[in-house]
């Protein structure tokens, strides 16, 4: 899995089976009992349908009966839905325009903050934001042109550093400029010229051939461009301007990064060094370097410097022979290399910088371009224009007095591929400070997580130490530009939102539940809507699990499902079937057909599968065949759980089976008693959307988009999901809405939004009159682009169902990949932290460190387990439903308690979480024509074909209709 997706604070989806749950502070227990409502059989009496125009429900019913179909749908005519009532005076998000998406980003403004939240118990937390005083100096931008052009930013920086050293006291008028490494130079105050050219000479140590070091000459032209307006930035921070002056923020960011760029190894917005903390070995020639993230941000308290700890993988600076031994996990000196070994070495070393060790103090550096196919003893090359040949062994002996010991090993090819340059492995060492950008294996990920996983108090201390070591008060660039940075963590007012009451079935001993510190358990409770499993079978792919053990496990699981409130037939349709993992398709089809024959045409409800703990591509193959070919709902269990059966594990699996079979585990009490603002009043559909991209190093694999939508109202707990493949690294979801020409029917509408709206109508008998859309995985730089494109698709999908059908939309971006961390104000106060030392679940912040005027908030909705909790950041980009701060924050927090796979509140709102799960699952559906590493879905490559819906992308195989209707991705 990609490193960017790793969570410092793992959420283990377990069911707590004991009652020793830590109590929250007394102030959180204000409500002693559940709300008193007239409930019958686990749900309230359904409120009459929302009033509006006469309901023409027959039109939806006449549509293609396949729910959530991604196949062409018949255009809907004559449907009349009440248009949303929009009050022009108070509607946020509609800035001087008609209802409907704006045509460009210039015509749109994100909604202003509707005030601050008041719900919850007030408290103080600390944030890793440090106040930055706005400088009073003029900031000037200059254009830089370097001739001949240089691609490397580090070389550009070396050129500029040499220029400043030579000319600062003369031509630059004592100014100390900050440089972005590309085309822009910034100064505090003007330079003594508007345009000038300089000559700079630089000694080249990169990829040199044998002989003296080369000296390169560069012409550097510096030309005045503009003055960055800090007045506008001040106005924006004070809330008097709507748009952030990005240029001014960029200048300040570059200034504060200048010194760290010179001291450390920059990677994106982070800086790494082996001196910050001792590197830890990750295995196979890699090590972790510790570093820090740094970014300047506009906030309500003014400018804020966000500092966080960070770790990433670097190539260990080993002698090349030792590195090769590590990646092959064998002694390369005594055992010959196979062809597979050579391929692995070549792949690992290509592009890596090495330095020679056979020339004493001369440490010339080269970049590896390949590996020779012959051993060193057989290699010869021309030494002059007459093609006089000399062996590599002779050359190194005569030229350097270096005797090559391991002549059986291949040589490294370095530098220009046209001219062969050979270096013996034993004469080379890997250059320090090279970041590893390819995919890590499972062991390396585990090792890196151990390094990054820090308790909150330790992380806070490391952040403070980093700020102290960076000594911004002594930074010559910060001084030059007049920037002052506080050394204290920002103290921020927060509130702890109360946990919602959850409803369980009336036949259980406990009919309702108030979670404590973000968790609860299933003891004495029954699922509010238990599903029915009449026909099931089990297939055992694990050689170590005997049939009697498998039978016993299935029996215990069936009992747990019954105890939890499901109707589960204790007897399988056919006996447990043992199969080999390499014959997954054959085995699945055998069990499927044998079951249908036994049932005389009726189909299986559920397939249980016992898998080996290390099962390679088996899991993905099984899910692909079951969900896109056979139409089977499956539940996989690992061998280790079969042998060591725990009640906790079985209860957890039963929760997953229930929702996969169309049941509900629990619902919010407020939902079934019609008390959720802007959800319970009229039929409301909640969407979740995400796009997952292929891992680093996969250049052709498509991105996968997933959209889920609630299929029940007022309960809002069941989510149907749809997935599609789209162009590599495309963030905008292409298949939200689409039209195509059919030779018979003409223009036909379709797409994921449209299909899910139809599906909601079929499931509930109601048309959605309000849309809430949670969108995951969007960075700040993509906000406008994603909103414009995807809101337009939502609008068109609605209009395609009926011309005046435009339910009001609220569009919320959910971000987890940010670097804001919240810490308890007093770590010793047990009442203000959970067992892991993290802030309490429900902690929400919408002041001080949030946006100066837009509608955003940080919410830590989950209890920590290990490491430092990362709050989710929610940013409302469009709001026609006029949510209050309390309304949006409370809804989002309460939804986090409805996640189907565990009895814990989760860190991200469930619709967004489900969309991520569905997208991750869909990567298994891609044709397995190119496999890198079968253990992860990222290892599959879909290949490329022109038959896809978008050019060059092969479409995913369609989900079977019965699979689409349920939460198959859980």
């Amino acid at each position: 899995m990609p490193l960017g997706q790793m969570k410092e604070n793992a959420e283990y989806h377990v069911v707590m089976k004991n009652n020793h749950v830590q109590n929250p502070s007394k102030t959180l227990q204000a409500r002693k009992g559940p709300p008193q409502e007239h409930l019958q059989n686990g749900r309230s009496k359904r409120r009459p349908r929302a009033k509006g125009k006469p309901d023409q429900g027959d039109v939806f019913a006449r549509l293609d009966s396949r729910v959530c179909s991604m196949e062409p749908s018949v255009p809907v005519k004559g449907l009349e839905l009440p248009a949303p009532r929009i009050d022009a005076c108070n509607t946020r998000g509609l800035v001087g325009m008609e209802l409907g998406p704006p045509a460009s980003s210039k015509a749109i403004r994100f909604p202003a903050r509707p005030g601050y939240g008041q719900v919850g118990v007030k408290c103080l937390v600390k944030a890793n934001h440090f106040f930055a005083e706005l400088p009073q100096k003029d900031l000037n931008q200059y254009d830089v042109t370097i001739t001949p052009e240089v691609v490397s930013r580090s070389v550009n920086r070396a050129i500029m550093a040499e220029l400043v050293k030579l000319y600062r006291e003369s031509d630059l008028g004592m100014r100390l400029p900050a440089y972005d490494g590309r085309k822009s130079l910034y100064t505090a105050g003007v330079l003594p010229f508007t345009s000038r050219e300089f000559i700079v000479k630089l000694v080249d140590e990169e990829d040199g051939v044998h002989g003296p070091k080369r000296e390169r000459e560069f012409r550097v032209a510096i030309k005045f461009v503009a003055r960055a307006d800090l007045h506008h930035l001040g106005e924006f921070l004070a809330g008097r301007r709507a748009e952030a002056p990005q240029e001014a923020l960029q200048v300040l960011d570059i200034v504060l990064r200048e010194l760290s760029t010179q001291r450390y190894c920059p990677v994106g917005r982070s800086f790494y060094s082996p001196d910050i903390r001792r590197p830890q070995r990750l295995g196979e020639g890699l090590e972790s370097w510790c570093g820090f993230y740094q970014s300047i941000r506009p906030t309500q308290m003014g400018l804020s410097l966000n500092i966080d700890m960070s770790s990433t993988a670097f190539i260990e600076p080993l002698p090349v022979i030792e590195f090769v031994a590590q990646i092959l996990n064998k002694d390369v000196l005594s055992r010959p290399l196979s062809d597979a070994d050579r391929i692995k070495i070549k792949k690992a070393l290509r592009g890596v910088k090495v330095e020679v060790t056979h020339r004493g103090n001369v440490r010339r550096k080269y970049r590896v371009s390949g590996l020779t196919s012959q051993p060193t003893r057989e290699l010869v090359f021309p030494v002059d224009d007459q093609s006089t040949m000399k062996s590599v062994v002779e050359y190194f002996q005569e030229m350097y007095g270096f005797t090559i010991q391991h002549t059986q090993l291949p040589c490294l090819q370095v530098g220009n591929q046209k001219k062969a340059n050979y270096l013996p492995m034993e004469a080379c060492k890997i250059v320090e400070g090279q970041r590893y950008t390819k995919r890590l294996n499972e062991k390396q990920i585990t090792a890196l997580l151990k390094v990054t996983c820090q308790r909150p108090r330790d992380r806070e201390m490391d952040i403070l130490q980093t700020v102290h070591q960076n000594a911004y008060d002594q930074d010559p660039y910060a001084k030059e530009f007049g920037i002052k940075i506080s050394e204290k963590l920002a103290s921020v007012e927060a509130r702890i939102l109360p946990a919602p009451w959850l409803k369980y079935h009336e036949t259980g001993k406990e009919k309702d539940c108030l979670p404590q510190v973000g968790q609860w358990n299933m003891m004495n409770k029954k699922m509010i809507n238990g599903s029915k499993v009449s026909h099931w079978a089990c297939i055992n792919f694990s050689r170590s699990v005997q049939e009697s053990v498998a039978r016993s496990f299935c029996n215990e699981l069936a009992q747990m499902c019954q105890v939890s409130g499901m109707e589960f037939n204790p007897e399988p349709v056919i006996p447990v079937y043992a199969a080999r993992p390499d014959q997954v398709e054959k085995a699945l089809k055998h069990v499927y057909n044998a079951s249908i024959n036994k049932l005389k045409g009726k189909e299986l409800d559920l397939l249980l599968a016992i898998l080996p703990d290390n099962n390679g591509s088996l899991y993905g193959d099984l899910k692909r065949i079951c969900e896109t070919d056979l139409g089977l709902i499956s539940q996989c269990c690992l061998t280790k759980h079969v042998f060591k059966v725990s009640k906790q594990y079985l209860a957890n699996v039963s929760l997953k089976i229930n929702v996969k079979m169309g049941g509900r585990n629990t619902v919010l009490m407020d939902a079934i008693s019609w008390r959720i603002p802007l959800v319970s009043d009229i039929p409301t559909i909640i969407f979740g959307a995400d796009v997952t991209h292929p891992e680093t190093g996969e250049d052709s694999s498509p991105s996968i988009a997933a959209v889920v939508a609630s299929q029940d109202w007022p309960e809002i707990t069941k989510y149907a999901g749809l997935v599609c493949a789209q162009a590599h690294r495309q963030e905008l979801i292409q298949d939200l809405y689409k039209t195509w020409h059919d030779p018979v029917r003409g223009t036909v509408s379709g797409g994921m939004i449209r299909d899910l709206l139809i599906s909601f109508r079929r499931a509930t008998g109601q048309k959605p009159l309000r849309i809430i859309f949670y969108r995951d995985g969007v960075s700040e730089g993509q906000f406008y682009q994603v909103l414009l494109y995807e809101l337009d698709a939502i609008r068109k999908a609605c209009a395609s169902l009926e011309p005046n059908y435009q339910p009001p939309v609220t569009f919320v971006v959910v971000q987890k990949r940010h670097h804001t961390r919240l810490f308890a104000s007093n770590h010793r106060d047990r009442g203000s932290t959970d067992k892991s030392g993290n802030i309490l679940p429900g902690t929400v912040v919408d002041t001080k460190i949030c946006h100066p005027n837009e509608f955003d908030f940080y919410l830590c909705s989950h209890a920590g387990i290990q490491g430092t909790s990362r709050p989710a950041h929610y940013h409302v980009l469009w709001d026609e439903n006029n949510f209050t701060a309390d309304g949006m924050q409370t809804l989002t927090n309460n939804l986090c308690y409805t996640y189907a796979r565990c009895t814990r509140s989760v860190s991200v709102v469930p619709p967004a979480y489900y969309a991520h799960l569905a997208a991750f699952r869909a990567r298994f559906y891609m044709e397995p024509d190119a496999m890198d590493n079968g253990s992860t879905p990222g290892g599959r490559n879909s290949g490329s074909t022109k038959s896809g819906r978008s050019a060059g992308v092969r479409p995913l195989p369609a989900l079977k209709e019965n699979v689409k209707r349920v939460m198959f991705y859980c």
Side-chain angles (χ1 to χ4, degrees):
M1 85 186 183
L3 195 55
Q5 288 180 7
M6 292 192 304
K7 296 182 181 177
E8 293 154 275
N9 179 32
E11 290 171 16
Y12 297 111
H13 302 132
V14 297
V15 181
M16 307 304 290
K17 291 302 289 183
N18 57 47
N19 284 318
H20 305 296
V21 180
Q22 181 183 332
N23 288 324
S25 56
K26 291 177 184 177
T27 49
L28 287 176
Q29 294 179 324
R31 291 186 289 169
K32 295 292 181 185
Q36 295 304 306
E37 295 292 332
H38 300 293
L39 298 166
Q40 295 179 353
N41 297 324
R43 51 191 300 177
S44 66
K45 292 180 180 175
R46 200 176 266 281
R47 187 186 265 188
R49 190 171 284 169
K51 291 183 180 177
K53 293 186 182 179
D55 185 354
Q56 301 180 17
D58 291 345
V59 180
F60 261 114
R62 289 200 301 269
L63 290 172
D64 181 349
S65 62
R66 290 171 296 181
V67 177
C68 300
S69 173
M70 286 298 285
E71 297 303 311
S73 306
V74 179
V76 182
K77 293 179 182 176
L79 240 187
E80 290 193 14
L81 289 168
R85 225 167 50 91
I86 305 295
D87 185 341
C89 298
N90 62 12
T91 296
R92 296 190 308 277
L94 305 174
V95 182
M97 66 187 74
E98 296 296 318
L99 179 65
S104 74
S105 62
K106 290 183 180 175
I108 187 175
R109 278 188 197 159
F110 299 143
R113 189 180 301 283
Y116 297 97
Q118 303 298 322
V119 172
V121 178
K122 290 185 179 177
C123 65
L124 279 179
V125 295
K126 289 178 284 187
N128 58 339
H129 286 241
F130 298 84
F131 177 68
E133 201 174 304
L134 197 63
Q136 300 302 313
K137 300 191 178 185
D138 287 336
L139 303 184
N140 298 276
Q141 181 185 357
Y142 291 83
D143 182 69
V144 175
T145 306
I146 297 175
T147 314
E149 192 177 347
V150 178
V151 177
S152 164
R153 289 178 79 167
S154 59
V155 175
N156 279 342
R157 288 185 186 283
I159 293 165
M160 189 56 67
E162 186 69 15
L163 187 151
V164 171
K165 190 168 112 183
L166 292 172
Y167 298 105
R168 183 185 177 191
E169 293 184 12
S170 52
D171 299 57
L172 300 182
M174 287 304 292
R175 300 282 183 215
L176 182 62
Y179 178 46
D180 72 352
R182 289 207 173 106
K183 293 282 290 175
S184 295
L185 189 78
Y186 302 98
T187 61
V190 293
L191 293 173
F193 56 83
T194 54
S195 179
R196 185 160 300 180
E197 196 173 88
F198 299 87
I199 302 294
V200 175
K201 291 180 180 177
L202 204 64
V203 174
D204 179 26
E205 295 194 8
E206 300 294 308
D207 299 336
V209 293
H210 306 304
K213 293 178 186 177
R214 289 184 298 167
E215 190 177 67
R216 289 195 287 173
E217 185 175 287
F218 298 93
R219 288 180 180 274
V220 183
I222 298 176
K223 183 181 178 183
F224 177 78
V225 175
R227 183 170 293 168
D229 196 339
L230 287 181
H231 173 70
H232 284 175
L233 180 56
E235 291 285 288
F236 171 73
L237 292 169
R240 290 189 291 271
R241 268 180 79 93
E243 294 203 17
Q246 293 300 332
E247 301 80 10
L249 287 168
Q250 188 182 349
V251 176
L252 299 176
D253 200 47
I254 288 164
V255 169
L256 288 171
R257 296 170 65 78
E258 187 69 45
L259 191 60
S260 293
T261 301
Q262 294 170 21
R263 283 181 182 170
Y264 306 119
C265 177
V267 176
R269 289 193 166 275
S270 297
F271 300 95
Y272 297 95
S273 167
D275 303 325
I276 292 175
R277 200 190 297 159
R278 197 171 138 212
Q280 301 290 312
R281 279 198 161 181
L282 301 176
E284 294 191 23
L286 302 185
E287 63 182 11
S288 69
W289 279 21
C290 188
F292 62 93
Y293 167 93
Q294 175 180 301
S295 173
I296 197 146
R297 303 181 59 79
T299 64
Q300 290 171 38
M301 69 177 182
L303 277 182
S304 157
L305 190 67
N306 180 203
I307 302 277
D308 191 26
M309 302 315 295
S310 180
S311 287
T312 196
F314 278 76
I315 301 170
E316 205 174 339
L318 297 167
V320 167
I321 287 182
E322 197 179 320
F323 176 81
V324 168
Q326 277 206 33
I327 62 167
L328 297 180
N329 196 24
K330 73 178 190 182
D331 181 1
V332 293
L333 300 181
S334 60
R335 295 169 64 188
L337 298 177
S338 66
D339 288 344
D341 289 339
R342 289 171 186 275
I343 291 168
K344 197 170 183 182
I345 295 167
K346 188 176 179 179
K347 201 173 172 185
L349 284 173
R350 185 183 284 144
V352 173
K353 247 186 246 180
V354 295
E355 59 186 11
V356 294
T357 57
H358 64 287
R359 298 179 59 189
N361 291 330
V362 178
R363 289 286 180 122
R364 184 73 58 84
K365 294 173 185 173
Y366 302 87
R367 197 175 291 277
V368 178
S369 58
L371 196 69
T372 61
S373 54
Q374 301 154 285
T376 303
R377 59 173 169 254
E378 294 175 19
L379 288 172
V380 292
F381 65 97
V383 288
D384 54 31
D385 295 339
Q386 282 75 45
S387 295
T388 308
M389 305 302 283
K390 183 168 280 192
S391 75
V392 169
V393 175
E394 285 176 333
Y395 179 83
F396 273 81
Q397 184 66 58
E398 292 171 15
M399 191 77 177
Y400 307 113
F402 181 79
T403 305
I404 300 174
Q405 302 289 326
H406 308 294
T407 58
Q408 80 282 9
L409 293 175
C411 271
L412 303 179
Q413 284 180 272
V414 298
N416 192 333
Q417 288 232 334
K418 291 177 185 174
K419 185 182 177 185
N421 278 314
Y422 302 133
L423 288 177
M425 283 188 183
E426 65 202 79
C428 298
K429 179 177 181 285
I430 288 169
V431 173
E432 186 178 65
Q434 297 180 77
R435 186 185 170 219
Y436 184 76
T437 56
K438 296 169 191 167
R439 187 170 63 233
L440 299 176
N441 63 35
E442 294 298 325
K443 283 185 180 175
Q444 289 166 337
I445 289 170
T446 304
L448 188 57
L449 277 171
K450 278 184 183 174
V451 177
T452 57
C453 186
Q454 283 183 292
R455 290 181 73 84
R457 178 182 269 176
D458 298 334
R459 193 184 195 96
E460 183 186 327
M461 293 308 294
D462 278 0
I463 289 168
L464 286 167
Q465 191 177 344
T466 298
V467 172
H468 181 70
Q469 284 176 342
N470 287 351
Y472 296 102
D473 57 331
Q474 301 299 315
D475 181 336
Y477 295 94
K479 277 185 173 179
E480 171 87 3
F481 285 79
I483 304 170
K484 293 176 185 172
I485 306 293
S486 167
E487 290 201 349
K488 289 182 179 178
L489 289 155
S491 183
V492 185
E493 278 191 8
R495 290 167 291 113
I496 303 166
L497 301 179
W501 279 92
L502 303 175
K503 183 74 184 106
Y504 283 91
H505 201 273
E506 288 292 308
T507 57
K509 283 185 184 175
E510 294 183 23
K511 299 167 180 55
D512 44 60
C513 167
L514 180 63
Q516 304 291 305
V517 197
Q519 55 190 356
W520 64 102
N521 59 53
M522 281 294 291
M523 283 181 72
N524 301 321
K525 302 177 191 71
K526 288 188 184 291
M527 298 154 175
I528 189 158
N529 297 120
S531 57
K532 185 177 182 179
V533 178
S534 302
H535 312 304
W536 61 277
C538 175
I539 187 164
N540 177 16
F541 287 104
S542 180
R543 234 188 302 179
S544 57
V545 177
Q546 294 175 334
E547 189 189 352
S548 59
V549 176
R551 211 165 47 236
S552 171
F553 172 77
C554 290
N555 189 43
E556 288 191 66
L557 180 57
Q559 283 179 3
M560 178 57 78
C561 288
Q562 288 170 344
V563 167
S564 301
M566 292 173 63
E567 282 185 52
F568 202 108
N569 184 349
E571 291 301 319
V573 173
I574 59 172
V576 174
Y577 182 76
R580 284 168 43 183
D582 59 350
Q583 295 186 343
V584 57
E585 187 163 8
K586 182 181 172 186
L588 288 169
K589 287 185 175 175
H590 170 81
V591 169
Y592 177 76
N593 292 323
S595 300
I596 283 183
N597 290 338
K598 184 87 180 284
L599 294 167
K600 297 190 170 87
K602 289 181 185 173
E603 300 213 345
L604 276 179
D605 298 324
L606 176 69
L607 177 73
L608 298 177
I610 297 170
L611 309 186
D613 293 334
N614 298 309
N615 56 72
S617 65
L618 174 60
Y619 176 84
D621 290 338
L622 184 146
K623 292 294 182 185
R624 174 173 53 83
I625 295 162
C626 284
E627 290 159 8
T628 67
D629 185 8
L630 302 177
L632 276 178
I633 302 298
S634 59
Q635 177 60 53
C636 296
C637 303
L638 293 177
T639 298
K640 62 184 178 185
H641 297 304
V642 172
F643 280 129
K644 192 181 177 183
V645 184
S646 72
K647 297 284 184 191
Q648 184 172 294
Y649 173 75
L650 293 174
N652 190 23
V653 174
S654 70
L655 292 177
K656 295 175 70 171
I657 290 173
N658 189 47
V659 295
K660 286 180 184 179
M661 299 308 300
R664 291 188 193 89
N665 295 334
T666 185
V667 295
L668 295 169
M669 192 79 89
D670 281 356
I672 54 175
S673 52
W674 309 90
R675 293 192 311 198
I676 302 178
L678 296 178
V679 171
S680 299
D681 56 339
I682 56 173
T684 299
I685 187 169
I686 300 182
F687 284 91
D690 190 19
V691 178
T692 64
H693 302 293
E695 296 173 18
T696 311
E698 289 190 33
D699 299 327
S700 60
S701 294
S703 293
I704 303 286
V707 181
V708 305
S710 58
Q711 300 293 292
D712 53 352
W713 179 80
E715 298 90 349
I716 51 169
T717 55
K718 288 184 181 181
Y719 290 83
L722 295 174
V723 291
C724 70
Q726 57 187 43
H728 178 75
R729 298 249 155 223
Q730 168 64 263
E731 184 56 50
L732 305 176
I733 302 178
Q734 301 299 296
D735 270 9
L736 287 181
Y737 175 73
K738 57 190 177 180
T739 57
W740 63 96
H741 183 75
D742 181 272
V744 178
R745 293 178 293 171
T747 302
V748 182
S749 298
M752 295 194 281
I753 295 288
R754 190 179 193 276
D755 291 346
L756 288 165
L757 289 169
I758 293 168
S759 175
F760 178 94
R761 170 58 198 268
R762 287 203 185 110
T764 64
Q766 308 268 16
K767 305 179 191 81
L769 299 182
R770 179 184 292 116
I771 292 174
I772 299 168
F773 197 94
Y774 285 102
R775 178 64 156 90
D776 196 3
V778 182
S779 64
E780 285 177 24
Q782 298 170 311
F783 278 6
Y784 279 110
Q785 193 184 10
V786 168
L787 177 65
L788 285 166
Y789 185 88
E790 296 184 4
L791 184 63
D792 184 50
I794 294 167
R795 288 272 180 253
K796 285 175 178 171
C798 292
S800 76
L801 292 170
E802 185 252 300
N804 296 317
Y805 178 41
Q806 288 295 309
V809 177
T810 296
F811 193 105
V812 187
V813 165
V814 188
Q815 292 175 303
K816 279 287 281 183
R817 298 174 76 175
H818 60 81
H819 286 269
T820 293
R821 299 292 180 273
L822 302 174
F823 304 101
S825 191
N826 180 3
H827 290 285
R828 294 188 191 87
D829 179 9
R830 290 299 176 88
S832 65
T833 62
D834 60 23
K835 284 185 283 191
S836 67
N838 279 290
I839 55 174
L840 291 168
T843 302
V844 65
V845 169
D846 60 2
T847 61
K848 206 162 182 179
I849 59 168
C850 291
H851 195 279
N853 46 46
E854 289 171 12
F855 189 2
D856 73 325
F857 58 93
Y858 291 95
L859 172 65
C860 183
S861 51
H862 65 298
I865 294 176
Q866 58 181 6
T868 303
S869 294
R870 186 195 309 231
H873 184 223
Y874 296 89
H875 203 128
V876 181
L877 301 190
W878 191 258
D879 184 21
E880 292 165 351
N881 290 299
N882 294 328
F883 271 93
T884 63
D886 280 329
M888 177 53 67
Q889 292 164 14
T890 302
L891 172 64
T892 303
N893 185 58
N894 288 356
L895 286 174
C896 290
Y897 286 79
T898 66
Y899 185 66
R901 305 208 304 179
C902 60
T903 54
R904 297 178 69 89
S905 59
V906 289
S907 62
V908 174
V909 70
Y913 207 141
Y914 293 146
H916 177 77
L917 292 177
F920 191 77
R921 170 67 60 81
R923 209 159 275 284
F924 290 125
Y925 300 160
M926 293 193 285
E927 294 302 321
D929 12 307
M931 294 286 288
D932 236 25
N933 174 0
S935 63
T936 65
R940 294 175 178 276
N941 187 329
S942 76
S944 189
T945 175
K946 296 292 175 189
S947 65
R949 289 174 185 176
S950 20
V953 178
R954 182 180 298 174
L956 298 172
L959 289 166
K960 292 295 179 181
E961 295 303 322
N962 63 316
V963 174
K964 286 178 186 175
R965 286 194 288 268
V966 295
M967 296 167 72
F968 66 92
Y969 44 80
C970 276

